Amino acid sequence: MDSACVAFKANAPAIKGRRGGFSNGDNGFWGERIRGSLSNSVWVNQVAENLRTQSREKKIKPGMISAILTSNNPWEAVKIQPPRLERQRVDPKNVASIILGGGAGTHLFPLTRRAATPAIPVGGCYRLIDIPMSNSINSGINKIFVLTQFNSASLNRHLARTYFGNGINYGDGFVEVLAATQTPGEAGKKWFQGTADAVRQFTWVFEDAKNSNIENVLILCGDHLYRMDYTDFLQSHVDRNADITISCRPVAESRASDYGLVKVDNRGHIIQFAEKPKGADLKAMQVDTTVLGLSREEAMQSPYIASMGIYAFKTDVLLQLLRWRYPTANDFGSEIIPSVVMEHDVPAYIFRDYWEDIGTIKTFYEANLALTEERPKFEFYDPKTPFYTSPRFLPPTKIDNCRIVESIISHGCFLRECSVQHSIVGERSRLDYGVELQDTVMLGADCYQTESEIASLLAEGKVPIGIGRNTKIRKCIVDKNTKIGKDVQIVNKDDVQEADRPEQGFYIRSGITVILEKATIEDGTII
């Protein structure tokens, strides 16, 4: 535990103790590498009590909070020892993670045409759901619930292949998929109406005997890219004895309206919450983020504080809010959180590392390509906190006389005399002779076609899975199992920003061409 030593002179007022991570009490913000303030009221009470005992100790024992009183006589000193003040350590085994499987994912369409948002591939071989799952496992949390509803078949399949067995030991924990279902009664006929309603429909799981020891609940999103030790977040939640704690981070004005924004007081408690404000409401949420430890220049670039959509609740408080206080509220961000910050002390936990909400085609595209940089802000490579995914037992990629610059090539690919620049090539991808890939994200394929099958299809004038000879692709997302013929050009030379061409196998979003899953682009096509 933390300890400190405070010196008093005769008739001197009490002063605040300080050690290591503790603040001086004026700034109560908690977050990465930051700890909170230590109240000095305990010191005053214990000094008054122990002065009457006149106990004299020669040594200060480790782990104790001690004070030394001195008078004007240098030979007189009284050392007093108040009782031990234990810091309650969070036990991750008494925590449950609830991961929200996402709704319709309209802003990520057409990638969500047949898949839930958390099931979308990222970084070449991972899925977005692997992020909160791995963060939970690496944080020692072994009770994990995943709530699914929309297009959940591929998500359920990935969870089953990855997190049931495969050497991951949950001890007395588990991973449970809680799929939207209908139950008796009028209310039971409805599907999930929002994030809060999804959790409400399964609050009964916390009444099971196996879950009786769950003291705190983490609410996590399945469409974010970040690495986080949840035990630090939970420790700040426990240290403050908070009912609810919200993880937040500074954001720039260009993205601020995409998030729920907060204002905090000098204790680090949230005093106002606005869900995705626009115009004047957005300007009203601007704050001086130097109070979070940012430099003046950084604060000018990021003058807003955004909620990350990561919440820690005391279990009894969560159940009370969902069942009794807000029984008809459907969403945490737009309904429950703006109200509870007015009724409860809700601290903000400031997260300063990389975090990205993969909420649009543009953010998905940019976050993936950012992984190819020489020194990316986020990377999957960390032996101490690995990201888990499905073991596919694929052979190494085979590369024959290719030029590859700032790119990621996944497992089981075949590349023949092609050029790949600033791109991600997903697993089982096939790039034939003369292919030029630039600023492109390929999501790969679910299966192989043998050399004889490919030759047979080409002989029949058909297009096999992969990219054919002499095809040029720029600024594009190629969904899974696509068939792109030879001499194709996908370059969007007219810089079209938005277009819907499902009959031709593609959409354009924010100037990025998206080739549909299982689409066939015939030989010689120009997009």
Side-chain angles (χ1 to χ4, degrees):
M1 64 166 287
D2 289 297
S3 61
C5 182
V6 176
F8 297 86
K9 285 195 175 181
N11 302 321
I15 62 173
K16 295 181 180 179
R18 179 169 182 172
R19 175 199 174 274
F22 283 98
S23 75
N24 61 8
D26 297 326
N27 187 342
F29 290 101
W30 291 53
E32 287 199 322
R33 307 177 187 87
I34 290 181
R35 298 293 181 264
S37 60
L38 181 66
S39 172
N40 67 342
S41 60
V42 176
W43 298 84
V44 177
N45 295 336
Q46 294 296 340
V47 168
E49 177 67 24
N50 284 277
L51 277 174
R52 290 191 286 270
T53 68
Q54 296 296 314
S55 61
R56 299 170 182 269
E57 298 288 345
K58 294 182 179 180
K59 294 182 179 180
I60 299 174
K61 297 179 181 179
M64 297 294 292
I65 299 178
S66 303
I68 303 173
L69 301 187
T70 62
S71 71
N72 292 329
N73 186 337
W75 299 101
E76 287 186 25
V78 178
K79 295 180 182 178
I80 59 175
Q81 289 182 316
R84 183 185 296 269
L85 299 179
E86 294 286 353
R87 184 188 187 195
Q88 181 184 355
R89 295 289 182 181
V90 65
D91 184 356
K93 297 195 179 338
N94 295 336
V95 177
S97 289
I98 298 180
I99 302 174
L100 304 173
T106 54
H107 295 296
L108 274 168
F109 185 87
L111 297 180
T112 53
R113 193 169 62 122
R114 292 176 179 165
T117 299
I120 295 176
V122 62
C125 62
Y126 299 91
R127 304 288 183 106
L128 282 171
I129 190 64
D130 294 328
I131 308 305
M133 289 292 299
S134 300
N135 283 333
S136 294
I137 294 169
N138 292 333
S139 300
I141 298 171
N142 65 353
K143 298 177 178 67
I144 305 173
F145 300 95
V146 184
L147 304 185
T148 66
Q149 174 171 287
F150 183 82
N151 266 349
S152 60
S154 61
L155 176 59
N156 294 340
R157 188 185 309 120
H158 178 76
L159 289 169
R161 291 175 176 174
T162 307
Y163 300 102
F164 296 95
N166 294 324
I168 301 176
N169 183 13
Y170 301 103
D172 59 349
F174 51 81
V175 173
E176 287 192 12
V177 176
L178 303 177
T181 185
Q182 292 187 333
T183 57
E186 189 62 31
K189 295 180 181 178
K190 299 179 181 178
W191 301 109
F192 296 157
Q193 302 300 302
T195 55
D197 184 62
V199 177
R200 182 189 295 112
Q201 291 194 31
F202 283 100
T203 53
W204 57 267
V205 302
F206 298 107
E207 298 169 350
D208 289 352
K210 67 178 181 179
N211 300 328
S212 60
N213 67 330
I214 295 177
E215 299 173 357
N216 294 287
V217 177
L218 274 178
I219 307 294
L220 307 172
C221 294
D223 57 355
H224 295 169
L225 185 62
Y226 64 108
R227 175 183 274 105
M228 184 176 184
D229 186 349
Y230 296 139
T231 53
D232 290 342
F233 175 44
L234 290 163
Q235 189 63 58
S236 74
H237 174 70
V238 170
D239 285 343
R240 290 187 167 199
N241 193 28
D243 293 334
I244 309 162
T245 303
I246 301 177
S247 186
C248 304
R249 74 185 306 274
V251 295
E253 185 170 2
S254 60
R255 298 286 305 278
S257 60
D258 296 336
Y259 309 119
L261 302 180
V262 304
K263 282 187 174 181
V264 295
D265 61 18
N266 61 0
R267 300 176 302 146
H269 285 237
I270 296 173
I271 57 175
Q272 188 177 349
F273 185 100
E275 179 71 1
K276 299 180 180 179
K278 310 284 185 184
D281 293 334
L282 175 62
K283 288 294 183 183
M285 295 302 295
Q286 189 167 325
V287 296
D288 180 9
T289 50
T290 57
V291 298
L292 307 182
L294 273 67
S295 67
R296 179 62 59 184
E297 181 179 347
E298 291 171 333
M300 291 179 64
Q301 295 174 351
S302 302
Y304 295 91
I305 305 174
S307 165
M308 296 168 59
I310 299 175
Y311 313 119
F313 286 86
K314 286 183 178 177
T315 303
D316 56 344
V317 172
L318 176 63
L319 298 181
Q320 180 187 14
L321 290 173
L322 293 176
R323 286 177 170 174
W324 311 113
R325 185 68 182 89
Y326 304 103
T328 60
N330 291 326
D331 191 70
F332 282 113
S334 61
E335 297 177 77
I336 292 182
I337 299 301
S339 299
V340 298
V341 297
M342 308 301 294
E343 302 171 0
H344 295 254
D345 283 338
V346 181
Y349 174 87
I350 306 302
F351 183 70
R352 288 176 169 79
D353 210 338
Y354 177 90
W355 172 82
E356 185 62 72
D357 180 0
I358 309 295
T360 65
I361 290 292
K362 184 177 180 180
T363 56
F364 172 81
Y365 174 79
E366 292 176 346
N368 271 278
L369 291 188
L371 298 172
T372 68
E373 296 174 3
E374 183 177 356
R375 292 181 176 84
K377 295 179 181 178
F378 173 86
E379 57 184 350
F380 288 97
Y381 310 101
D382 189 332
K384 294 182 179 179
T385 55
F387 283 96
Y388 302 94
T389 193
S390 175
R392 298 169 178 90
F393 310 109
L394 294 172
T397 287
K398 186 175 181 180
I399 300 174
D400 180 15
N401 195 24
C402 301
R403 179 177 181 268
I404 300 174
V405 180
E406 287 188 340
S407 298
I408 295 174
I409 312 297
S410 299
H411 315 84
C413 299
F414 295 92
L415 282 66
R416 296 185 178 93
E417 298 187 21
C418 58
S419 171
V420 181
Q421 187 171 352
H422 194 224
S423 298
I424 290 182
V425 179
E427 59 197 11
R428 303 187 187 91
S429 294
R430 182 184 63 84
L431 279 64
D432 217 332
Y433 299 97
V435 168
E436 294 181 12
L437 212 62
Q438 183 176 342
D439 301 328
T440 293
V441 179
M442 285 189 69
L443 303 189
D446 290 323
C447 61
Y448 284 115
Q449 288 178 325
T450 64
E451 291 293 335
S452 60
E453 289 174 331
I454 293 172
S456 176
L457 289 169
L458 291 174
E460 296 174 6
K462 297 180 180 179
V463 181
I465 294 175
I467 302 178
R469 295 189 177 194
N470 301 319
T471 288
K472 295 176 175 55
I473 302 177
R474 292 181 178 83
K475 200 175 182 181
C476 183
I477 298 174
V478 181
D479 208 341
K480 301 193 79 173
N481 304 313
T482 56
K483 304 172 183 178
I484 300 177
K486 61 184 180 181
D487 299 314
V488 173
Q489 293 189 40
I490 305 176
V491 294
N492 190 13
K493 63 178 182 179
D494 295 328
D495 196 25
V496 176
Q497 292 300 299
E498 304 290 328
D500 295 359
R501 301 287 188 273
E503 68 283 354
Q504 299 177 36
F506 72 93
Y507 288 75
I508 298 178
R509 293 288 182 266
S510 301
I512 303 161
T513 306
V514 183
I515 306 299
L516 296 178
E517 180 184 7
K518 297 182 179 180
T520 299
I521 308 297
E522 299 292 346
D523 296 348
T525 301
I526 298 177
I527 298 176

